[in-house]
Amino acid sequence: MRQPETKLKRRSARGILLFILSFSALLWSCKREDLEEGNRHLESTVILISFDGFRWDYLERADTPNLDYLVQNGVQAQALIPVFPSKTFPNHMSIITGQYPENHGIVSNRMYDPLFDAFFWIGAESEPARDGRWYEGEPLWITAEKQGQIAATMFWPGSDAEIRGIRPTHWSYYDGTISREERINRVLSWLDLPRDRRPTFITTYFEETDNWGHEYGPDDPQVDSVVQALDGTVGALLDSLRIREYLDRINLILTSDHGMTGLSRQRVVFLDDYIDLETVTVVDWSPVTAILPAEGLEDTVYHALDGAHPNLSVYRKEELPERFHYRNHRRITPIICVADEGWSVTSHEYFDTHVDVYSGGTHGYDNRLPSMHGIFIAYGPAFKDDLMVRPFMNIHIYELICHILKLNPAQNDGSLDSVMVVLEE
Ligand code: AMP
Ligand code: ZN
Ligand code: ZN
């Protein structure tokens, strides 16, 4: 029996509708898979982590299964040599620009700029640290952004400033009270962004090893506990990357800006034993003393200090050892004194009114001293497995990361050749 025509039409209409529906569902699921697949696809990515003041030998001090995992499956340098002075801001800027401080302009944590007639200092909410005019180098986040990549900083000294009119796409003002977990979560949240908004270069920073090293000195067991806690944070990051199937596809670089050495109130040089402090501005005190003598008094001050104390080396700016690469900037003062390892420079008044200082630990000394050296650990597809390399200077890290991210490096003092050995290719 023939079907009535209307019924037939309705049936074929339903068929067509079903066909369209199932076809679009198929298309939609393919598209979603494509999207997910696309999202899972990772461009060459680098996470750069700094553990402030993490000395090269701290790894031996505690149970650190996560750091050990990275070392065993990646590259470790016997030590990372800081630039002079071995202070936080100069070194973080050298890592991120590849330049010596005399070229990137952050010649210390405390500076005076005669052109600006202004002082620079550091710390959360420091106004000058957020002022781009102090920074003369090109941080890697700018190199990346200028060349169409996305950069993100969950803290890095210098990242609080807009430099040359550019900031990382994602960034935060430095706040030491934000927990380690929160910092890691922020990094992960950026990795979870869709592919077109996901950063390829991410930094983060942890200050505890520096804080505790200053407070108790590098040999105190409290430092071991901090190292262990930081290892736990690294473990949490590795687990989160593993869950996302990113662990073997992301490059992780762990660094530190300098090491730490012990101080004593028995090892102190009093500047006012030799010069009248009214005749100078002491821009930075210890262990590298930056002295700006009053007009016409440079020779007098220099001769009064030179050879005055056996544990204090005194230099005119032009005569600083060449290996310091520390002469050619207006922010380097005419007279620079460098204390011997473990010695401090102060005044009688300051010493007597601050009973807690000049004990514990510090850094800033000659960058050749092993105690000032930091760490370099790198893990990921770009790096060799289970390799220990000789100590190298932190200025080479900029070129290394530019190479991994396929970025043209800006003018800098480092060279890829110096660190080529760590690369897998
Ligand atoms: P240092 O005095 O050389 O040991 O420097 C360590 C200190 O640098 C930390 O304790 C912080 O107070 C400070 N610091 C770290 N990151 C930043 C930042 N992004 N902005 C300002 N200060 C910072
Ligand atoms: Zn530091
Ligand atoms: Zn410090």
Side-chain angles (χ1 to χ4, degrees):
M1 205 176 109
R2 280 188 70 203
Q3 303 256 3
E5 216 173 90
T6 47
K7 215 172 178 181
L8 249 183
K9 267 191 187 156
R10 226 181 291 143
R11 270 206 183 155
S12 55
R14 207 188 304 147
I16 290 168
L17 188 68
L18 263 175
F19 176 75
I20 291 174
L21 276 179
S22 47
F23 187 66
S24 15
L26 187 73
L27 267 183
W28 186 74
S29 74
C30 286
K31 205 164 165 228
R32 235 188 77 172
E33 262 173 29
D34 273 1
L35 253 177
E36 278 176 3
E37 193 48 48
N39 268 343
R40 271 204 301 270
H41 173 87
L42 260 192
E43 310 294 338
S44 213
T45 301
V46 172
I47 303 178
L48 175 66
I49 303 178
S50 164
F51 297 115
D52 200 315
F54 198 115
R55 204 168 68 182
W56 63 277
D57 58 344
Y58 281 3
L59 278 178
E60 312 301 324
R61 298 263 304 261
D63 185 25
T64 52
N66 300 296
L67 290 165
D68 296 349
Y69 172 85
L70 296 180
V71 166
Q72 280 151 20
N73 296 285
V75 184
Q76 180 185 19
Q78 284 167 337
L80 185 65
I81 304 168
V83 293
F84 178 85
S86 47
K87 291 270 191 183
T88 296
F89 262 62
N91 275 284
H92 278 92
M93 289 320 289
S94 289
I95 293 172
I96 211 73
T97 63
Q99 293 178 306
Y100 290 112
E102 66 176 2
N103 293 329
H104 64 55
I106 304 298
V107 301
S108 191
N109 285 348
R110 289 187 56 81
M111 309 183 275
Y112 171 72
D113 187 309
L115 188 67
F116 302 163
D117 187 20
F119 284 88
F120 179 96
W121 64 93
I122 64 164
E125 295 180 28
S126 152
E127 232 174 86
R130 294 179 177 184
D131 182 348
R133 69 177 173 161
W134 289 90
Y135 302 88
E136 296 172 351
E138 180 176 298
L140 218 148
W141 55 79
I142 295 189
T143 310
E145 295 275 348
K146 274 194 348 197
Q147 294 175 43
Q149 294 192 27
I150 297 173
T153 53
M154 186 56 207
F155 305 157
W156 192 269
S159 68
D160 307 49
E162 181 179 296
I163 300 172
R164 302 170 182 206
I166 300 180
R167 284 187 184 280
T169 300
H170 312 280
W171 66 281
S172 279
Y173 276 130
Y174 173 65
D175 175 356
T177 66
I178 294 188
S179 68
R180 291 193 298 269
E181 192 186 10
E182 171 72 26
R183 298 178 200 196
I184 292 294
N185 286 342
R186 199 77 67 84
V187 169
L188 293 167
S189 73
W190 293 325
L191 289 174
D192 289 337
L193 288 171
R195 189 177 168 185
D196 57 343
R197 289 167 47 211
R198 190 187 300 145
T200 49
F201 178 61
I202 303 177
T203 72
T204 189
Y205 165 86
F206 301 95
E207 64 280 282
E208 282 101 324
T209 24
D210 185 68
N211 291 347
W212 291 83
H214 280 297
E215 188 76 21
Y216 300 105
D219 300 327
D220 195 276
Q222 308 256 22
V223 173
D224 304 0
S225 315
V226 174
V227 169
Q228 201 150 358
L230 288 170
D231 183 73
T233 301
V234 170
L237 173 65
L238 298 186
D239 287 345
S240 306
L241 292 176
R242 201 174 280 121
I243 287 167
R244 289 166 172 78
E245 297 178 14
Y246 280 170
L247 184 58
D248 297 324
R249 296 194 281 157
I250 279 188
N251 296 293
L252 291 174
I253 303 179
L254 276 48
T255 60
S256 61
D257 51 349
H258 51 72
M260 190 68 69
T261 196
L263 294 177
S264 160
R265 283 177 72 86
Q266 312 299 315
R267 292 192 299 266
V268 175
V269 180
F270 294 101
L271 220 53
D272 44 350
D273 281 350
Y274 313 109
I275 57 170
D276 176 359
L277 292 179
E278 296 296 317
T279 63
V280 295
T281 303
V282 182
V283 175
D284 206 1
W285 272 95
S286 193
V288 174
T289 316
I291 302 176
L292 184 63
E295 188 90 34
L297 289 183
E298 193 178 312
D299 281 349
T300 314
V301 172
Y302 174 77
H303 289 301
L305 286 174
D306 186 29
H309 193 288
N311 300 103
L312 191 70
S313 304
V314 181
Y315 304 98
R316 290 180 194 273
K317 176 177 179 171
E318 320 73 72
E319 292 164 357
L320 277 152
E322 201 143 340
R323 66 191 172 82
F324 286 167
H325 298 271
Y326 200 68
R327 288 181 192 165
N328 300 317
H329 201 286
R330 64 177 186 272
R331 295 173 194 156
I332 300 168
T333 55
I335 297 172
I336 296 285
C337 311
V338 185
D340 283 353
E341 181 176 9
W343 282 77
S344 304
V345 183
T346 187
S347 69
H348 282 288
E349 196 208 336
Y350 193 85
F351 186 80
D352 294 341
T353 51
H354 294 77
V355 290
D356 294 340
V357 295
Y358 312 123
S359 54
T362 204
H363 53 91
Y365 299 96
D366 189 336
N367 55 338
R368 198 153 67 174
L369 291 167
S371 62
M372 293 298 104
H373 295 179
I375 53 161
F376 175 90
I377 298 169
Y379 169 91
F383 299 106
K384 290 207 176 94
D385 275 2
D386 194 17
L387 176 70
M388 174 77 94
V389 299
R390 292 184 52 73
F392 64 85
M393 212 165 191
N394 65 14
I395 52 166
H396 304 302
I397 294 176
Y398 172 80
E399 287 252 347
L400 178 67
I401 299 177
C402 283
H403 177 80
I404 295 169
L405 296 180
K406 301 185 180 66
L407 294 167
N408 288 324
Q411 173 72 33
N412 70 90
D413 301 314
S415 74
L416 184 60
D417 282 350
S418 308
V419 281
M420 201 72 188
V421 59
V422 305
L423 290 170
E424 176 68 16
E425 61 203 28

